[in-house]
Amino acid sequence: MMKSNSNHSHPKTHHTPHGKTCRNWQSLLLFRFSLRNYGFCMGTLLIFSLGSLFYQLNGGPPNFLVALRQYLGNSTYLDDHGGLSPKALPFPSQVVYNRVGKCGSRTIVLLLRMLSERHGFNFAASDIHNKTRLTKYEQETLIRNISTTEQPYLFTRHVHFLNFSRFGLEQPTYINMIRDPVNRFLSNYFFRRFGDWRSEQNHMVRTPGMKDEERYLDINECILENYPECSNPRLFYIIPYFCGQHPKCREPGEWALERAKQNLNEYFLLVGILEELEDVLLLLERLLPHYFTGAFDIYKSPDYRKQGNLTGTVKKQIPSPEAVEVLYQRMKYEYDFYYHVRDQFHLFKRKLGLKSQIVASPRPEFLVSSHAETEEPTIEEEDNDENWLEDFNTR
């Protein structure tokens, strides 16, 4: 009995010590846990790597902008932390200025014509002024033509943002300039009707089919009676230049606004505001010295300013306060973007040690008098050289 009970109470499995069995189970559990962790980590790394590659192939910032953000202390332009690095910025050999209409582009283009001769870069200015939206085929054709331009180049055209990486090509560095949206609209409204000081018949060349009742339409009537020219979607003008070629970029709304802000932060080296043009030129000299060194001095020279006076829009008037308020409400997305650009521009100036003397206003400012018109230029003689006057600030 005792022997039988002894055999039953000590089965063969008990020949392995209890502590060793526990350790084996622990080892097995740790091994499985480690494999699970290892698989999770490797999967995460793979997803991150693929995401990073996808980002670079589909619109990652140009190398020059990456270097600039390191230069500014890894700033993303959304903060104000970090000091300047003493090292020099790299030289971007591909720059695109997709200039916004009636936002001072004539000033910049005229300067670039002169600076390209002085500094020896290739300045390529398109003769197309009225086609900003392109088909996919037109986008690819234009992008490939730009990319084959001899470097270093600075290309400019009135065209909505183009994503070069979409077609497998290197993304260039973008620059641009905008202005108060209502002021931009007014400048365009009267310029289409009456041209500028270059010629009394200049407007007839630009809008020969415009009837007199449209040409002399009172600006207040156009706004308050909701004429197409003075309402959306035509008032939604600035944002598409930064949003891009997607059809939704032309629809006033949050989607286009946020897309424009994203592209602004990722692809644009500098977007200035026309109200602070001299500071824009100073920053361009600092950031793109190979292109813009000397731009400020040229701009301030008497000969240059004499030419500039000829392109002021004539017969420009300021609408009533009621009409201005209506415009302001209709252009709420444009103003959201404008204030975003202005804040970043001021931050950029602070980062580079340029102190602004202008106090930002929370609302657009206009001339008080309703009879205000562009003053006649005070020059001794008019120079109608179209090479000088084709592109100039019409403010």
Side-chain angles (χ1 to χ4, degrees):
M1 289 287 295
M2 292 295 298
K3 185 176 181 180
S4 175
N5 289 341
S6 175
N7 290 337
H8 285 291
S9 62
H10 297 284
K12 293 182 179 180
T13 55
H14 284 194
H15 288 289
T16 302
H18 178 72
K20 188 174 182 179
T21 302
C22 292
R23 285 194 295 272
N24 288 341
W25 279 104
Q26 290 173 353
S27 299
L28 181 60
L29 288 174
L30 289 173
F31 177 72
R32 290 179 177 175
F33 184 74
S34 299
L35 282 179
R36 183 183 302 173
N37 280 359
Y38 178 77
F40 176 78
C41 292
M42 293 304 295
T44 302
L45 180 61
L46 177 61
I47 293 173
F48 176 81
S49 300
L50 292 175
S52 177
L53 178 61
F54 178 80
Y55 176 74
Q56 295 178 45
L57 292 177
N58 290 273
N63 292 333
F64 179 74
L65 293 188
V66 175
L68 174 65
R69 288 162 186 170
Q70 294 175 348
Y71 178 83
L72 294 175
N74 293 323
S75 171
T76 61
Y77 308 135
L78 302 178
D79 57 70
D80 193 14
H81 303 291
L84 292 177
S85 168
K87 66 180 181 179
L89 283 171
F91 171 54
S93 59
Q94 303 175 77
V95 180
V96 170
Y97 173 30
N98 65 321
R99 61 186 190 270
V100 181
K102 303 321 240 188
C103 289
S105 63
R106 300 186 178 208
T107 295
I108 305 300
V109 169
L110 176 55
L111 287 170
L112 285 168
R113 293 190 190 280
M114 305 169 69
L115 292 168
S116 64
E117 297 180 0
R118 177 181 295 188
H119 300 312
F121 62 87
N122 189 5
F123 178 58
S126 174
D127 294 329
I128 301 175
H129 302 287
N130 58 355
K131 190 173 179 58
T132 58
R133 308 164 186 173
L134 310 177
T135 65
K136 183 178 180 180
Y137 173 77
E138 290 171 335
Q139 292 178 52
E140 183 174 11
T141 301
L142 177 58
I143 286 173
R144 294 196 180 279
N145 288 340
I146 295 173
S147 298
T148 57
T149 302
E150 182 180 355
Q151 301 182 20
Y153 71 75
L154 193 151
F155 174 83
T156 182
R157 172 177 165 174
H158 292 297
V159 64
H160 296 168
F161 174 77
L162 297 165
N163 193 331
F164 283 57
S165 59
R166 179 185 181 189
F167 301 97
L169 295 170
E170 181 181 355
Q171 191 74 20
T173 298
Y174 271 84
I175 60 173
N176 215 320
M177 184 161 62
I178 65 174
R179 71 191 294 186
D180 180 282
V182 168
N183 278 331
R184 194 219 67 83
F185 163 76
L186 294 176
S187 180
N188 183 68
Y189 183 90
F190 291 103
F191 181 70
R192 290 184 65 246
R193 286 161 169 76
F194 308 113
D196 52 37
W197 292 105
R198 287 177 288 181
S199 170
E200 293 181 358
Q201 300 301 318
N202 179 270
H203 62 285
M204 297 301 297
V205 176
R206 291 183 176 272
T207 54
M210 184 179 287
K211 298 180 180 180
D212 284 347
E213 55 265 30
E214 181 183 358
R215 191 177 305 281
Y216 295 98
L217 175 65
D218 181 77
I219 182 66
N220 292 301
E221 181 181 353
C222 182
I223 297 170
L224 298 177
E225 297 297 327
N226 202 26
Y227 280 71
E229 185 177 1
C230 299
S231 59
N232 282 315
R234 295 190 186 181
L235 294 179
F236 193 70
Y237 184 86
I238 296 175
I239 287 176
Y241 276 88
F242 299 86
C243 178
Q245 297 290 333
H246 194 285
K248 291 184 67 175
C249 288
R250 302 190 293 271
E251 301 175 5
E254 291 289 341
W255 189 93
L257 171 63
E258 294 305 318
R259 179 76 168 264
K261 289 180 179 180
Q262 179 181 355
N263 287 339
L264 171 75
N265 293 332
E266 289 190 4
Y267 301 111
F268 285 81
L269 167 64
L270 177 69
V271 178
I273 56 174
L274 183 59
E275 293 80 5
E276 301 176 41
L277 176 57
E278 292 185 2
D279 286 350
V280 175
L281 296 178
L282 289 174
L283 286 182
L284 286 172
E285 287 199 30
R286 174 75 178 272
L287 298 170
L288 297 172
H290 302 82
Y291 298 93
F292 284 95
T293 294
F296 182 83
D297 290 338
I298 295 175
Y299 174 73
K300 298 291 287 185
S301 66
D303 290 341
Y304 180 91
R305 299 307 290 267
K306 181 177 72 173
Q307 298 295 328
N309 285 336
L310 293 176
T311 57
T313 301
V314 301
K315 299 185 179 181
K316 184 164 64 176
Q317 298 179 351
I318 304 302
S320 67
E322 180 186 4
V324 169
E325 182 64 27
V326 170
L327 280 179
Y328 184 78
Q329 295 300 327
R330 289 176 183 170
M331 305 172 80
K332 63 178 183 177
Y333 295 112
E334 295 274 276
Y335 271 103
D336 188 312
F337 185 74
Y338 172 74
Y339 294 144
H340 178 78
V341 170
R342 188 182 66 182
D343 290 344
Q344 288 200 1
F345 180 67
H346 289 167
L347 170 60
F348 215 163
K349 290 199 297 184
R350 293 197 302 272
K351 297 286 284 188
L352 292 175
L354 184 62
K355 295 183 179 180
S356 175
Q357 301 299 321
I358 298 178
V359 179
S361 172
R363 298 291 294 272
E365 294 182 357
F366 305 95
L367 297 176
V368 177
S369 174
S370 61
H371 303 288
E373 295 183 357
T374 304
E375 297 181 358
E376 185 173 356
T378 55
I379 59 175
E380 297 178 358
E381 59 182 9
E382 293 189 1
D383 185 348
N384 289 321
D385 182 356
E386 290 298 320
N387 290 331
W388 276 73
L389 301 174
E390 176 187 359
D391 295 292
F392 196 78
N393 175 18
T394 61
R395 181 169 64 156

